[in-house]
């Protein structure tokens, strides 16, 4: 059963779904119906050490680096318009393959060229980010970006993190000033 | 006042003390119209009666009211009385006439006493109609959102966006509404500038709607005979009154509310525009400038009219169609026969390839009179006009003719009906031959 998470809330994935192996982060939005530049939302994930930084740039998973070297995190590829049914972009995390030195995986969403295109999440129709159990696709957490992050252009959606031998998910829902580049740099990526 | 950004959401439950709120809109740099669309859960217009704007200033439930004071347009909402089917109220702005959002300077949307959104042309591109803001239900509470997005295709595109399966029908409604808006604004002008014309415009409207020309557009031209025999009619004011009736028709056909008046006798004079502001003593002044003359030359007048509206043909022979978007309705008034009959025939034949319709009216006695008393007369003052009406060798039948004993013989309704007796048919023919596009 899906747990509705509030900002800052967390869920013990290993307890909620014993034997949980995979997590799917889904990002979806409606294509722009009005005239003007398309809304292009990008999902990204960061494999982070205990200090909150990546080991190397290859730990930054996004549309130009679809798979981590260890194979634990995979990005479904770039959707530049929001067209199509269901989640428009997906990030898959195989918990069993995450290297021991990785303490957490941050999952984020940014609007491509938000500043140039003068866009924010509030302008995008039905934008959301959600976290699913990779086995059976039960929804664990969901953020309505259009409503809750309306004036933001980048957001740290949540973190999948280790708590001893278990995995937890924390819903962060925190806006971030700047685009994908600055966000990646904040995690130690030399982008 | 909280400043709001494009895309920003504002829950109203904590702000409003009851279910009422007011949103004020203003724009500088270009005229614009504001409208409010009530949408259902599928984001479709619930029905046409829930498009609130100045010509339909209240929703059926009374929960949405439009008002305008000087440069400020306002929507007042009583959210509690709205039907539950309404999930979203979109406030839109459409640019009046030509141009798009680049024609404006700046504008504001103000949730009265609470929050405001300021925009300028830099926030937009070439949109002609934009959604400025919307009130919507979220978790059974109302929220305000600043939208700031729109369509280059204007209101049509906007309504299509809200229309779903009614997409094909809705734009026509909007076009009708746009025509209505134009009419309303012209009627407002008539009321202010020439109140004596109000009833005439209404009667003309009725006659036009009967023949399906309620939103038809055309230039209207009045050609007046100033031969000496017309003197009495000018003096009595009968011509002035008649000209006002044609001006009223012009107000319906022509959004600038003006008609072009040509005077002819021995000579033909450059047209003078008769409009709402100068209509009062127009004919008297015209006759003062161009006193009555000693001859009647239809052909000369027709040549001048053709030159004026179809400059490419320059009044010369024409054997090929001159396609145009906007037709010209010529009201040609005379009280006698012409001295240039063969030239007149040529002119009418050549003009049959042009987007000009000629409505002749003879003042005197004739066979084509509506008055039975006059019909009984065997003789006619206008044998030539009767012949002209049936003239062979034309591309299409481009003329109609009737006679009256006096310009005010017919009631206004009868006159307008008569003026529209052959014109609709001519439009069809002209379209089929590519004269009208």
């Amino acid at each position: 059963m899906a747990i509705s998470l509030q900002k800052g809330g967390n869920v013990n994935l290993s307890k909620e779904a014993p034997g949980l192996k995979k997590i799917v982060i889904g990002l979806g939005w409606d294509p722009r119906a009005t005239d003007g530049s398309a809304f292009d939302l990008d999902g990204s994930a960061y494999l982070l050490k205990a200090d909150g930084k990546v080991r190397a740039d290859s730990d930054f998973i996004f549309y130009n680096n679809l798979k981590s070297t260890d194979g634990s995190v995979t990005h479904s590829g770039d959707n530049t318009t929001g067209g199509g049914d269901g989640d428009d972009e997906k990030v898959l995390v195989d918990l069993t393959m995450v290297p021991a030195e990785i303490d957490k995986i941050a999952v984020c969403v940014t609007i491509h060229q938000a500043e140039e295109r003068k866009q924010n999440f509030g302008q995008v129709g039905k934008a959301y980010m959600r976290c699913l159990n990779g086995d059976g696709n039960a929804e664990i957490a969901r953020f309505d970006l259009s409503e809750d992050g309306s004036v933001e252009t980048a957001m740290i959606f949540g973190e999948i993190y280790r708590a001893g031998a278990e995995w937890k998910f924390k819903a962060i829902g925190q806006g971030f000033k700047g685009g994908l580049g600055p966000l990646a740099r904040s995690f130690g990526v030399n982008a | 006042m909280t400043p709001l950004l494009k895309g920003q959401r504002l829950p109203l439950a904590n702000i409003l003390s009851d279910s009422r709120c007011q949103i004020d809109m203003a724009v500088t740099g270009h005229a614009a119209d504001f409208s409010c669309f009530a949408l259902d859960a599928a984001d479709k217009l619930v029905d046409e009666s829930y498009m609130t704007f100045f010509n339909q200033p209240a929703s059926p439930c009374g929960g949405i009211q439009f008002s305008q004071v000087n440069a400020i347009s306002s929507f007042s909402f009583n959210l509690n009385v709205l039907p539950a089917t309404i999930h979203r109220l979109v406030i839109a702005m459409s640019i009046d006439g030509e141009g798009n959002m680049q024609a404006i300077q700046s504008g504001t949307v103000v949730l009265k006493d609470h929050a405001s959104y300021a925009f300028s042309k830099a926030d937009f591109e070439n949109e002609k109609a934009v959604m400025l803001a919307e009130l919507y239900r979220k978790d059974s509470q109302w929220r305000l959102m600043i939208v700031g997005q729109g369509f280059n295709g204007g209101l049509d595109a906007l309504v299509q966006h809200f229309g779903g399966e009614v997409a094909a029908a809705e734009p026509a409604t909007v076009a009708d509404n746009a025509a209505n808006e134009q009419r309303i604004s012209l009627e407002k002008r008539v009321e202010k500038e020439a109140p004596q014309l109000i009833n005439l415009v209404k009667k003309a409207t009725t006659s036009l709607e009967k023949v399906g020309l309620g939103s038809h557009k055309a230039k209207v031209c009045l050609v007046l005979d100033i031969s000496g025999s017309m003197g009495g009619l000018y003096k009595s004011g009968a011509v002035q009154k008649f000209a006002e009736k044609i001006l009223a028709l012009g107000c319906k056909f022509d959004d600038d509310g003006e008609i072009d008046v040509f005077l002819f006798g021995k000579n033909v004079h450059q047209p003078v525009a008769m409009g709402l502001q100068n209509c009062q003593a127009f004919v008297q002044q015209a006759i003062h400038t161009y006193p009555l003359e000693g001859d009647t030359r239809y052909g000369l007048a027709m040549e001048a009219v053709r030159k004026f509206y179809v400059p490419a043909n320059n009044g010369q022979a024409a054997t090929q169609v001159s396609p145009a978007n906007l037709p010209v309705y010529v009201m040609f008034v005379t009280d006698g026969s012409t001295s240039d009959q063969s030239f007149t025939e040529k002119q009418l034949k050549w003009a049959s390839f042009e987007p000009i319709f000629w409505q002749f009216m003879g003042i005197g006695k004739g066979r084509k009179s509506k008055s039975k008393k006059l019909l009984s007369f065997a003789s006619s003052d206008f044998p030539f006009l009767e012949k002209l009406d049936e003239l062979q060798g034309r591309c299409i039948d481009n003329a109609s003719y009737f006679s009256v004993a006096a310009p005010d013989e017919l009631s206004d309704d009868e006159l307008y009906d008569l003026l529209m007796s052959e014109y609709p048919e001519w439009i069809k023919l002209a379209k089929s031959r590519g004269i009208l596009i």
Side-chain angles (χ1 to χ4, degrees):
Chain A
M1 191 181 139
I3 292 175
S4 179
L5 279 186
Q6 298 301 314
K7 243 185 206 184
N10 69 71
V11 58
N12 188 322
L13 298 172
S14 306
K15 283 212 174 95
E16 285 299 320
L20 180 73
K21 290 190 179 73
K22 285 178 185 162
I23 281 181
V24 178
I25 305 293
L27 166 65
W29 72 98
D30 280 354
R32 183 169 185 154
T34 52
D35 287 321
S37 306
F39 297 126
D40 181 4
L41 275 57
D42 293 319
S44 56
Y46 307 81
L47 283 74
L48 305 173
K49 297 171 292 174
D51 65 356
K53 303 289 178 193
V54 293
R55 295 170 298 179
D57 290 357
S58 59
D59 284 341
F60 166 34
I61 312 304
F62 69 120
Y63 53 82
N64 274 343
N65 180 30
L66 294 177
K67 200 166 187 175
S68 63
T69 44
D70 49 58
S72 62
V73 179
T74 317
H75 191 293
S76 66
D78 196 12
N79 180 324
T80 57
T81 62
D85 289 338
D87 296 334
D88 296 305
E89 289 191 13
K90 284 182 191 178
V91 175
L92 279 80
V93 181
D94 187 336
L95 299 172
T96 63
M97 292 170 74
V98 178
E101 65 205 289
I102 295 304
D103 198 55
K104 60 186 170 187
I105 298 161
V107 183
C108 305
V109 55
T110 50
I111 298 180
H112 184 59
Q113 293 186 325
E115 203 172 328
E116 294 91 321
R117 298 180 186 180
K118 296 175 188 154
Q119 296 174 347
N120 58 36
F121 290 130
Q123 294 167 42
V124 185
K126 297 190 178 75
Y128 66 84
M129 199 163 213
R130 60 180 189 157
C131 174
L132 307 173
N133 181 341
D135 181 17
N137 286 335
E139 195 172 286
I140 296 167
R142 184 188 182 101
F143 264 160
D144 192 338
L145 295 166
S146 302
E147 291 296 330
D148 300 327
S150 65
V151 295
E152 310 290 352
T153 59
M155 182 182 274
I156 302 167
F157 168 59
E159 281 176 4
I160 301 153
Y161 64 101
R162 290 183 197 272
E166 299 177 326
W167 286 99
K168 284 187 172 180
F169 177 82
K170 185 178 181 186
I172 297 175
Q174 185 191 315
F176 182 89
K177 212 170 156 48
L180 184 59
L183 181 66
R185 280 192 285 278
S186 76
F187 290 117
V189 176
N190 300 309
Chain B
M1 282 283 185
T2 311
L4 297 175
L5 302 170
K6 201 193 265 196
Q8 196 164 348
R9 321 272 170 140
L10 187 68
L12 298 180
N14 306 330
I15 297 177
L16 304 180
S17 50
D18 58 14
S19 70
R20 290 170 192 274
C21 65
Q22 181 176 326
I23 294 183
D24 297 330
M25 296 80 56
V27 65
T28 63
H30 199 282
D33 291 322
F34 297 93
S35 44
C36 176
F37 296 84
L39 310 181
D40 61 18
D43 285 343
K44 302 299 175 204
L45 186 62
V46 289
D47 78 63
E48 280 166 31
S49 63
Y50 272 93
M51 201 182 127
T52 310
F53 61 114
F54 75 86
N55 200 25
Q56 184 165 276
S59 64
C61 63
I64 311 166
Q65 312 253 0
F66 174 83
S67 61
Q68 192 174 2
V69 178
N70 299 324
I72 307 218
S73 299
S74 305
F75 285 106
S76 304
F77 298 100
N78 184 355
L79 301 170
N80 276 359
V81 307
L82 294 172
T85 48
I86 292 176
H87 281 243
R88 199 177 283 269
L89 301 165
V90 179
I91 294 171
M93 176 176 113
S94 52
I95 298 293
D96 238 6
E98 293 299 306
N100 56 40
M101 288 300 281
Q102 291 310 305
I104 68 153
Q105 287 303 318
S106 61
T108 51
V109 176
V110 176
L111 174 64
K112 201 175 175 192
D113 302 329
H114 301 293
S116 69
Y117 163 59
F119 59 91
S120 75
K121 63 179 172 185
D123 298 315
F124 294 92
E125 288 175 42
N126 301 316
E127 296 93 338
K128 195 166 167 55
V130 295
M131 298 177 271
L132 290 174
E134 62 185 41
L135 295 167
Y136 64 104
R137 292 185 204 263
K138 171 77 182 169
D139 304 330
S140 67
Q141 300 281 3
W142 285 91
R143 289 186 178 190
L144 170 72
M145 170 193 168
I146 302 302
V147 186
Q149 296 181 36
F151 297 94
N152 302 347
L155 266 185
D156 282 8
L158 185 67
V159 171
Q160 237 164 26
H161 177 61
F162 296 144
E165 78 278 9
V166 289
E170 282 297 327
T173 306
V174 164
D176 286 350
N177 284 334
N180 274 342
E181 283 175 29
Q182 247 167 16
R183 191 174 81 200
I184 295 291
S185 68
L186 189 64
E187 279 174 7
K188 274 188 201 157
R189 276 188 57 202
V190 171
E191 204 169 323
K192 211 169 117 197
E193 297 168 26
Q196 75 275 21
L197 295 185
I198 293 175
N199 282 329
L200 291 173
V201 172
K202 283 182 184 158
K203 286 171 179 168
T205 304
T206 309
S207 293
L208 295 181
E209 282 172 353
K210 269 194 242 173
V211 294
L213 296 180
S215 47
H216 178 70
K217 289 276 159 267
K219 280 302 295 177
V220 174
C221 165
L222 175 62
V223 182
L224 291 174
D225 183 344
I226 53 166
S227 62
S229 53
M230 290 281 290
L233 294 171
Y234 280 105
K235 217 170 184 178
S236 71
V239 179
Q240 167 70 27
K241 277 190 179 151
F242 186 80
E244 287 178 6
K245 292 177 190 181
I246 301 305
L247 176 59
L249 178 71
C251 285
K252 271 300 300 166
F253 270 174
D254 195 339
D255 353 324
D256 64 7
E258 280 185 357
I259 59 173
D260 301 316
V261 181
F262 286 77
L263 303 180
F264 80 101
K266 181 171 188 282
N267 305 299
V268 58
H269 304 286
Q270 273 308 299
V272 185
M274 177 180 185
L276 295 174
Q277 287 182 331
N278 69 347
C279 68
Q280 215 124 46
F282 180 86
V283 169
Q284 196 188 344
Q285 280 176 1
I287 284 297
H288 182 73
T289 314
Y290 302 109
L292 301 183
E293 299 177 359
D295 197 356
T296 306
R297 295 182 180 179
Y298 299 172
L300 201 64
M302 293 175 71
E303 181 189 43
V305 170
R306 290 182 56 221
K307 273 186 184 173
F308 186 72
Y309 293 109
V310 191
N313 289 348
N314 198 31
Q316 306 290 310
T319 52
Q320 287 190 326
V321 299
S322 307
N325 291 313
L326 198 64
V328 183
Y329 184 98
V330 177
M331 179 72 233
F332 196 108
V333 179
T334 180
D335 74 333
S337 55
T338 184
S339 60
D340 62 353
Q341 291 195 358
S342 80
F343 188 58
T344 302
E345 287 182 10
K346 277 183 193 158
Q347 285 294 330
L348 193 65
K349 283 179 191 169
W350 296 336
S352 70
F353 294 92
E354 296 169 347
I356 306 177
F357 177 79
W358 305 82
Q359 176 65 60
F360 293 94
M361 180 176 87
I363 303 172
K365 54 182 179 173
R367 286 195 195 90
K368 281 209 168 183
S369 169
K370 288 282 149 182
S371 161
K372 284 184 183 135
K373 208 160 76 182
L374 283 161
L375 255 181
S376 63
F377 279 85
S379 64
S380 164
D381 289 343
F382 309 104
F384 176 70
L385 278 179
E386 283 156 16
K387 180 184 163 199
L388 211 54
D389 193 18
E390 310 296 335
L391 187 69
Q392 298 301 305
R394 287 179 290 171
C395 175
I396 55 172
D397 182 358
N398 60 340
S400 174
Y401 155 74
F402 64 89
S403 67
V404 289
D408 58 355
E409 180 196 36
L410 301 169
S411 73
D412 300 332
D413 301 317
E414 285 171 331
L415 174 70
Y416 289 127
D417 281 353
L418 207 50
L419 295 183
M420 289 303 122
S421 56
E422 289 191 33
Y423 181 62
E425 187 57 30
W426 173 80
I427 293 173
K428 278 184 207 154
L429 282 172
K431 280 185 176 160
S432 73
R433 300 300 288 266
I435 297 170
L436 283 179
I437 306 159

